[in-house]
């Protein structure tokens, strides 16, 4: 199996890895090599959203992304998202409404919502905005509190 | 403002789950699956796996040596010796320095099985049912039968008899975090860190499966990424421990999502025959017959059937009845608990059936149900006295709301009402060690927070309510099974109700001791003062620091050991013909209202809005209580509308993944109004009733009723997917 050096930026810091197989998933690079375990491993098949990170600001499923595809990119994970203004707002909104139970979906939701707000802001209708989050599953909350957090964030974005 | 001590950590991605555990020198485990659903095990050749560098491999032949010649429960060995009974059943396990190597080694194990006929479902065992009885059939794991009164006479003389058959599907818990653990064995010390709803339950299971004494096993719970019943018993732990023993190194074993589906212990399909006899608008008699697929659950150990039958009678007065249930063994994994095990399915069946009965006799369904609903002080059909029960009050409120919604509903929309009742597992015991000092209250107990908040928030809320001390002075701590007092587990909606009672018991002892020492007039409370926490009675205050002995101060405060071991009620055993039936410990329930929009062309359903009226006794923490109701309802929408594990005739699960097994998503979750019906106290502290399970129970019933109201489709199968709705609509066409 061929392996190559890989350079990326993770949470603002340069990362250089010597031998990263072409088949390695970004999820495993982050969790395994960089010990960034805040990104959760769920289904590994793109169905749950637990592994969501930002790649150059766009919400991305790290289980379906090859690490080498992310070469030279800027990766943001839950460990770093608090330094981003939008990410910080999302985390604060989650805390204010208590949009967390077991917390396993939480990092993925925070990242997806941050990416979506960056990309869309308050432009799209709320229903469509929520549909964009359909790839992030939560089995605990019934989504009610997450929807309340999203609504508050959108109202805030609209008033900016 | 929500006070969840775990909130900030979880939002920052800082909590560590079992899937995150890694220690230096550990190996990764993988399981070797059986290639067929039923067969005689001919060969398990570990040689090719062991030939790989760094690989440890074990199967049934190594078992005795690994546990020092001891013998575990012969009925549920860690690995099968002679026969495999479901597809992918682990027949061996391997560990290797990386996950990739472990998986490759697992594939290298040579397994040969001589196939035997597969019993794929209950229909294969009971082709002529309900026309036949087959208590002696080899596939029957348990048989229950009870009756009261002259059932035959009641059916013969009734004005109207309604007979229907219902089918319900297999549903998975799908906690977002898969099962995972990290095992280490040193000498005679077997230690496992695991994601579990019950560390003590895991210890007991591991001891029984491996045959080693409980004292040599230590289970430490980790953060849990959702349980829903799926993490209530041991699962991956025995295999991981055996691998760790064989390897002499720590071993981490986690299931993939695919394995979660393939091996998961969950609700399996059922067929229910419902018959009701009515005269003069009143139920005269009912007959309920159940075929419950219990997979490879052990013969004679099926609890689900005897327990579920009562839920199929529903919370309705039934003077004369006959119930008969078969737990049918099939070549699927064992049946396991899924949030209020099988109760949402039972509620769907009984609510839909009685709605049909009411329509046939020309009575408005809600009125018909209200006229038969149990009330406090009555007795169940099994003769158990009904203690404080708020379902009638919840139903009355739900009816009013449903009428309002109906008046406002546009064409194509339908409003439905469904009920469900439940008895929580507050009989299962628990203990807690509570310490009061000048700094506050510390609660040491054995459970980890699984997400619902029942441990971190619920227990603290009980302490706050008992003492008056504000919650930021109250800390809930956990220990492993060696350091923490015993508790049965976070299941059965019992954490606040039972473990909370243990916490309360300890606090009552401590307050009593402190009051006595201070000579304070009772009742006393705790409050914050200049010198830390103070005892307060009738306006007077005593700093806790002054009330402690030197020894107590040195030990960090005054400690008491609280206990709660509950008692269940009794049923009239003279009604039992065969098998075991169970009494309820308490009575709780809910009435739900759903408004749906149904596309009559495609049969697709959108839930427009939803309301829940929950009989809770007393709410101990409103935000987490509400969160439980919202979460339970949306999980129930999955059971109602999309979730169905489909098994082939060869015992193969055809949709073992999130693509084909569809969970509700954020845009499908409706707005939910939650109303707590208080004033009907339960067995928990301050009259609290459990709330983890009850909110899911009425959901499929409410949705089915709404779909029927919208387009006239009387669907008798779960889930109510477009195909079934379209089929029902065809049937209804004149
Ligand atoms: S782990 Fe990536 S989508 Fe589930
Ligand atoms: S909080 Fe548990 S899955 Fe979302």
């Amino acid at each position: 199996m061929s392996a190559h050096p890989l350079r990326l930026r993770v949470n603002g810091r340069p990362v250089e890895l010597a031998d990263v197989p072409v088949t390695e998933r970004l999820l495993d690079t982050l969790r395994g090599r960089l010990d960034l375990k805040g990104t959760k491993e769920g289904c590994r098949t793109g169905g749950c959203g637990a592994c969501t990170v930002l790649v150059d600001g766009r919400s991305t499923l790290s289980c379906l992304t090859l690490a080498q595809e992310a070469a030279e990119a800027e990766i943001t994970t839950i460990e770093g998202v608090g330094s981003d203004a939008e990410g910080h707002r999302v985390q604060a909104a989650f805390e204010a409404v208590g949009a967390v139970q077991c917390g396993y979906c939480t990092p993925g939701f925070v990242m997806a919502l941050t990416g979506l707000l960056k990309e869309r802001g308050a432009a799209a209708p709320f229903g469509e905005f929520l549909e964009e989050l359909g790839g992030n599953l939560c089995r605990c909350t019934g989504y009610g509190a997450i929807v309340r957090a999203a609504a508050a964030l959108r109202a805030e974005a609209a008033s900016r | 403002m929500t006070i969840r001590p775990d909130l900030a950590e979880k939002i920052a991605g800082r909590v560590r789950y079992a899937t995150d555990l890694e220690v230096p020198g550990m190996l990764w485990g993988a399981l070797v699956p059986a290639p067929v659903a039923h067969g005689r095990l001919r060969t398990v050749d570990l040689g090719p796996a062991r030939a790989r560098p760094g690989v440890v491999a074990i199967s049934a032949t190594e078992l005795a040596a690994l546990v020092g010649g001891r013998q575990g429960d012969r009925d549920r060995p860690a690995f099968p010796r002679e026969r495999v009974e479901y597809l992918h059943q682990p027949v061996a396990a391997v560990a290797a320095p990386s996950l990739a190597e472990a998986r490759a080694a697992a594939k290298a194990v040579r397994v040969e099985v001589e196939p035997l006929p597969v019993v794929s479902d209950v229909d294969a065992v009971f082709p002529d049912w309900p026309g036949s009885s087959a208590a002696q059939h080899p596939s029957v794991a348990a048989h229950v039968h009870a009756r009261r009164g002259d059932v035959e006479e009641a059916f013969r003389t009734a004005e109207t008899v309604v007979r229907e058959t219902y089918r319900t599907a297999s549903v998975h818990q799908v906690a977002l975090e898969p099962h995972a653990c990290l095992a280490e064995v040193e000498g005679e010390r077997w230690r496992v860190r695991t994601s579990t709803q019950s560390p003590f339950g895991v210890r007991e299971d591991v001891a029984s499966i491996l045959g080693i004494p409980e004292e040599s096993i230590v289970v430490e719970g980790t953060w849990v990424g959702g349980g829903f019943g799926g993490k209530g018993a041991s699962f991956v732990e025995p295999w991981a421990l055996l691998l760790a023993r064989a390897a002499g190194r720590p071993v981490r074993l986690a299931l993939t999502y695919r394995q979660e589906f393939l091996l998961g212990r969950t609700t399996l399909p059922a067929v229910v025959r419902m018959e009701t006899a009515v005269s003069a608008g009143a139920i005269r008699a009912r007959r309920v017959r159940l075929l419950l697929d219990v997979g490879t659950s052990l013969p004679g150990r099926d609890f689900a059937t005897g327990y579920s039958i009562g839920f199929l009678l529903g919370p309705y007065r039934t003077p004369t009845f006959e119930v008969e249930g078969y737990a049918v063994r099939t070549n699927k994994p064992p049946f396991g608990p899924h949030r209020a095990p099988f109760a949402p399915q039972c509620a769907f069946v009984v609510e839909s059936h009685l709605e049909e009965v009411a329509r046939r006799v020309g009575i408005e369904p809600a009125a018909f149900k209200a006229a038969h609903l149990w009330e406090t002080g009555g007795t169940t059909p099994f003769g158990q006295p009904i203690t404080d029960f708020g379902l009638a009050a919840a139903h009355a409120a739900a009816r009013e709301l449903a009428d309002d919604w109906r008046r406002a509903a546009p064409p194509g929309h339908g409003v439905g009402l469904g009920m469900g009742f439940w008895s929580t597992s507050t009989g299962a015991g628990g203990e807690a060690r509570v310490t009061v000092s000048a700094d506050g209250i510390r609660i040491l107990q054995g459970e980890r927070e699984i997400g619902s908040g029942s441990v971190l928030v619920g227990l603290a809320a009980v302490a706050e309510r008992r003492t008056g001390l504000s919650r930021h002075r109250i800390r809930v701590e956990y220990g492993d099974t060696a350091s923490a007092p015993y508790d049965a587990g976070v299941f059965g909606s019992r954490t606040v109700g039972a473990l909370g009672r243990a916490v309360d018991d300890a606090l009552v002892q401590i307050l009593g001791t402190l009051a006595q020492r201070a000579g304070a007039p009772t009742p006393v409370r705790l409050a914050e003062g200049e010198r830390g926490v103070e005892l307060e009675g009738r306006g007077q205050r005593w700093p806790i620091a002054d009330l402690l002995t030197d020894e107590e101060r040195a030990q960090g405060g005054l400690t008491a050991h609280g206990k709660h071991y509950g008692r269940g009620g009794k049923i009239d055993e003279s009604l039992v013909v065969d098998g075991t039936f169970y009494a309820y410990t308490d009575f709780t329930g809910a009435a739900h209202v759903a408004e749906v929009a149904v596309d009559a062309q495609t049969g697709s359903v959108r839930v427009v809005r939803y309301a829940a009226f929950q009989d809770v006794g007393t709410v101990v923490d409103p935000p987490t209580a509400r969160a439980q109701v919202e979460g339970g309802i949306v999980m129930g929408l999955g059971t109602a509308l999309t979730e169905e594990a489909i098994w082939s005739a060869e015992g193969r699960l055809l949709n073992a993944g999130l693509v084909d097994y569809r969970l509700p998503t954020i845009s499908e979750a409706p707005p939910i109004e939650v109303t707590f019906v208080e004033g009907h106290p339960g067995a928990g502290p301050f009259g609290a009733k459990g709330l983890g399970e009850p909110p899911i129970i009425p959901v499929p019933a409410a949705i089915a009723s709404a779909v029927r109201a919208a387009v006239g489709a009387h669907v008798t199968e779960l889930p109510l997917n477009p195909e079934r709705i379209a089929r029902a609509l065809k049937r209804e066409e004149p």
Side-chain angles (χ1 to χ4, degrees):
Chain A
M1 198 189 307
S2 68
H4 301 279
L6 173 65
R7 279 192 359 200
L8 16 86
R9 289 179 69 79
V10 178
N11 298 328
R13 255 177 263 150
V15 170
E16 287 193 39
L17 298 165
D19 293 304
V20 178
V22 290
T23 52
E24 180 168 310
R25 302 174 192 210
L26 181 58
L27 173 66
D28 298 326
T29 312
L30 294 172
R31 285 175 52 86
R33 292 178 194 263
L34 306 179
D35 201 31
L36 293 170
K37 296 243 171 24
T39 301
K40 303 291 17 119
E41 176 174 355
C43 64
R44 291 181 72 87
T45 52
C48 74
C51 64
T52 309
V53 298
L54 300 185
V55 177
D56 289 332
R58 289 181 69 97
S59 140
T60 303
L61 298 177
S62 65
C63 74
L64 293 188
T65 306
L66 297 176
Q68 295 288 2
E69 282 178 70
E72 305 296 332
E74 170 74 49
I75 316 289
T76 309
T77 69
I78 190 71
E79 288 88 351
V81 77
S83 335
D84 174 278
E86 195 72 69
H88 183 75
R89 276 194 289 274
V90 172
Q91 287 179 314
F94 264 58
E95 186 154 359
V97 301
V100 176
Q101 289 192 27
C102 79
Y104 207 77
C105 70
T106 309
F109 257 112
V110 167
M111 300 314 293
L113 204 46
T114 303
L116 197 54
L117 285 164
K118 278 178 187 292
E119 213 176 300
R120 295 281 193 95
F126 193 48
E128 276 175 34
F129 184 88
L130 289 183
E131 258 168 50
E132 296 279 331
L133 290 171
N136 285 78
L137 298 179
C138 174
R139 196 56 152 167
C140 300
T141 64
Y143 304 105
I146 298 172
V147 171
R148 291 193 281 279
L153 286 160
R154 291 245 316 177
E156 202 185 311
S159 71
R160 271 206 302 274
Chain B
M1 177 64 196
T2 326
I3 307 174
R4 268 197 81 133
D6 55 346
L7 207 52
E9 294 271 283
K10 283 178 173 174
I11 290 166
R14 276 199 301 266
V15 311
R16 289 290 168 267
Y17 300 86
T19 41
D20 300 326
L21 296 178
E22 261 178 67
V23 293
M26 80 173 194
L27 302 179
W28 300 73
L31 300 169
V32 179
V36 297
H38 190 201
R40 241 183 292 281
L41 205 47
R42 287 289 180 227
T43 314
V44 179
D45 180 5
L46 303 174
R50 285 177 172 159
R52 294 164 166 261
V55 169
V56 171
I58 56 173
S59 67
T61 15
E62 282 72 30
L63 275 183
L66 289 171
V67 295
R70 297 190 192 92
Q71 171 66 51
D73 184 346
R74 280 170 207 280
D75 287 339
R76 47 169 189 172
F79 299 109
R81 208 168 275 280
E82 283 147 20
R83 221 145 60 115
V84 298
E85 295 190 288
Y86 58 95
L87 193 61
H88 297 282
Q89 179 179 6
V91 294
V94 300
S98 74
L99 186 56
E101 290 164 279
R103 295 220 172 117
K107 281 216 181 75
V109 173
R110 209 165 51 81
V111 182
E112 277 176 22
V113 183
E114 179 193 325
L116 291 167
V118 171
V119 178
S120 60
D121 56 32
V122 296
D123 299 284
V125 178
F126 288 83
D128 303 322
W129 189 82
S132 58
S133 151
Q136 305 310 322
H137 193 287
S139 290
V140 168
H143 174 245
V144 298
H145 185 195
R147 49 182 292 145
R148 168 176 218 144
D150 192 340
V151 183
E152 291 72 18
E153 169 71 11
F155 271 91
R156 203 165 40 243
T157 56
E159 288 167 13
T160 309
V161 172
V162 180
R163 296 192 165 91
E164 295 187 293
T165 301
Y166 286 80
R167 285 171 182 270
T168 62
S170 168
V171 288
H172 279 268
Q173 299 94 351
V174 201
L176 224 52
E177 173 211 35
H179 288 80
C181 73
L182 178 72
E184 290 169 80
V185 183
E186 278 166 36
E188 274 309 297
R189 194 154 155 283
W190 302 65
R191 182 174 180 82
V192 63
R193 281 188 267 170
T194 187
S195 175
T196 179
Q197 295 173 242
S198 175
F200 286 92
V202 169
R203 186 178 72 171
E204 193 180 310
D205 277 350
V206 168
S208 136
I209 290 168
L210 301 187
I212 50 183
E214 281 193 16
E215 305 79 68
S216 52
I217 305 163
V218 180
V219 180
E220 181 186 336
T222 60
W223 285 101
V224 180
F228 313 111
K231 292 172 184 159
S234 82
F235 197 165
V236 287
E237 297 87 353
W239 296 314
L241 284 163
L242 289 168
L243 284 169
R245 161 66 119 205
R249 292 171 57 181
V251 172
R252 202 191 99 167
L253 181 63
L255 296 186
T256 64
Y257 256 51
R258 197 172 141 69
Q259 286 174 318
E260 286 287 323
F261 280 99
L262 293 171
L263 309 180
R265 287 102 203 244
T266 185
T267 297
L268 293 168
V271 186
V272 187
R273 178 80 172 163
M274 299 289 277
E275 299 173 351
T276 298
V278 181
S279 292
I283 295 174
R284 291 287 170 242
R286 298 196 30 216
R287 194 183 275 132
V288 173
R289 278 171 288 182
L290 164 69
L291 296 182
L292 182 63
D293 188 334
V294 295
T296 39
S297 296
L298 295 169
R301 291 207 199 159
D302 178 57
F303 168 80
T305 312
Y307 198 59
S308 300
I309 284 275
F311 295 101
L312 283 166
L313 284 173
Y316 300 106
R317 279 194 300 279
T318 308
T320 301
F321 71 87
E322 177 169 32
V323 295
E324 185 173 25
Y326 293 97
V328 184
R329 269 172 75 82
T330 61
N331 295 112
K332 299 193 184 82
F335 184 98
H338 173 296
R339 199 174 197 163
F342 198 56
Q345 290 81 359
C346 292
F348 158 75
V349 170
V350 68
E351 292 294 300
S352 303
H353 174 68
L354 290 186
E355 184 166 332
E356 174 68 12
V357 171
R359 282 167 183 254
R360 296 240 196 127
V361 297
I363 301 175
E364 198 258 312
F368 181 74
K369 288 177 186 177
H372 291 89
L373 205 52
W374 292 349
E375 298 209 32
T376 309
T379 51
T380 69
F382 277 90
Q384 180 180 354
I386 296 163
T387 51
D388 296 275
F389 192 37
L391 187 57
H395 183 238
R399 265 177 91 181
E400 254 181 62
L401 184 81
D403 287 342
D404 288 349
W405 283 12
R406 252 175 225 127
R407 278 190 288 273
H413 283 215
V415 174
L417 210 161
M419 273 185 281
F421 87 98
W422 190 238
S423 164
T424 57
S425 306
T426 40
E431 304 177 18
R433 206 145 56 227
V434 180
T435 302
V436 172
S437 73
D439 294 333
I441 300 172
R442 289 200 317 278
I443 300 166
L444 176 69
Q445 51 80 46
E447 305 298 351
R448 288 305 302 262
E449 177 57 56
I450 70 165
S452 65
S454 64
V455 174
L456 285 181
V457 181
L459 300 180
V462 168
E464 178 184 38
R465 208 165 167 128
R466 173 56 65 197
T467 63
L469 192 63
S470 114
R471 244 186 271 173
H472 72 269
R473 289 281 193 177
I474 302 170
R475 223 169 61 216
V476 178
E477 299 171 346
Y478 65 92
D480 59 28
T481 53
S483 63
Y486 172 82
D487 185 62
V490 180
F491 59 75
S493 308
R494 66 168 286 284
T495 315
V496 169
L499 184 51
R501 283 277 297 268
V503 169
D504 196 39
D505 175 41
L507 283 165
V508 169
Q509 294 175 40
I510 291 174
L511 290 178
T513 306
L514 292 173
Q516 205 176 16
R517 288 184 190 172
T522 49
V524 291
R525 295 171 75 72
L526 300 178
E528 283 183 73
E530 270 161 28
R531 294 182 51 210
V533 176
E534 299 178 345
L535 184 75
E536 187 203 275
R538 300 243 178 93
Q540 264 179 287
R541 288 193 171 211
W542 297 263
I544 297 292
D546 296 347
L547 298 176
L548 301 182
T549 65
D550 289 343
E551 200 190 342
E552 286 161 0
R553 260 191 297 273
Q555 286 167 351
L558 174 58
T559 298
H561 195 99
K563 291 183 185 186
H564 174 71
Y565 289 88
R567 271 195 310 270
K570 276 197 171 55
I571 59 164
D572 178 353
E573 291 288 346
S574 72
L575 306 177
V576 176
V577 181
D578 189 20
T580 310
F581 291 84
Y582 300 86
Y584 304 121
T585 37
D586 59 1
F587 293 83
T588 176
H592 288 186
V593 183
E595 178 172 338
V596 302
V598 184
D599 184 325
Q601 235 58 54
T602 64
S604 79
V605 176
R606 183 169 61 86
V607 184
V608 178
R609 52 178 170 168
Y610 202 96
F613 296 84
Q614 298 287 145
D615 169 25
V616 281
T618 306
V619 178
V620 297
D621 183 74
T624 46
R626 183 192 159 110
Q628 276 310 287
V629 179
E630 289 181 343
I633 287 168
V634 174
M635 197 169 183
L637 291 179
T639 305
L641 294 168
T642 60
E643 291 182 40
E644 176 174 24
I646 301 167
W647 306 80
S648 77
E650 295 78 38
R652 184 175 296 278
L653 180 59
L654 299 176
N655 54 342
L658 291 175
V659 176
D660 302 317
Y661 183 96
R662 281 241 310 107
L663 305 188
T665 66
I666 191 164
S667 52
E668 290 158 352
I672 295 170
E673 289 173 30
V674 180
T675 305
F676 293 114
V677 177
E678 294 191 275
H680 306 270
F686 313 103
K689 288 179 177 174
L691 196 58
E693 295 162 307
I696 196 177
I697 298 173
V699 182
I703 295 295
S705 161
V707 165
R708 189 166 190 182
V711 289
H714 175 39
V715 184
T716 52
E717 293 179 19
L718 280 182
L720 285 84
N721 57 21
E723 190 191 322
R724 293 201 174 97
I725 291 173
R727 220 186 304 138
L729 280 172
K730 257 206 200 94
R731 239 188 358 250
E732 308 290 334
E733 270 171 20

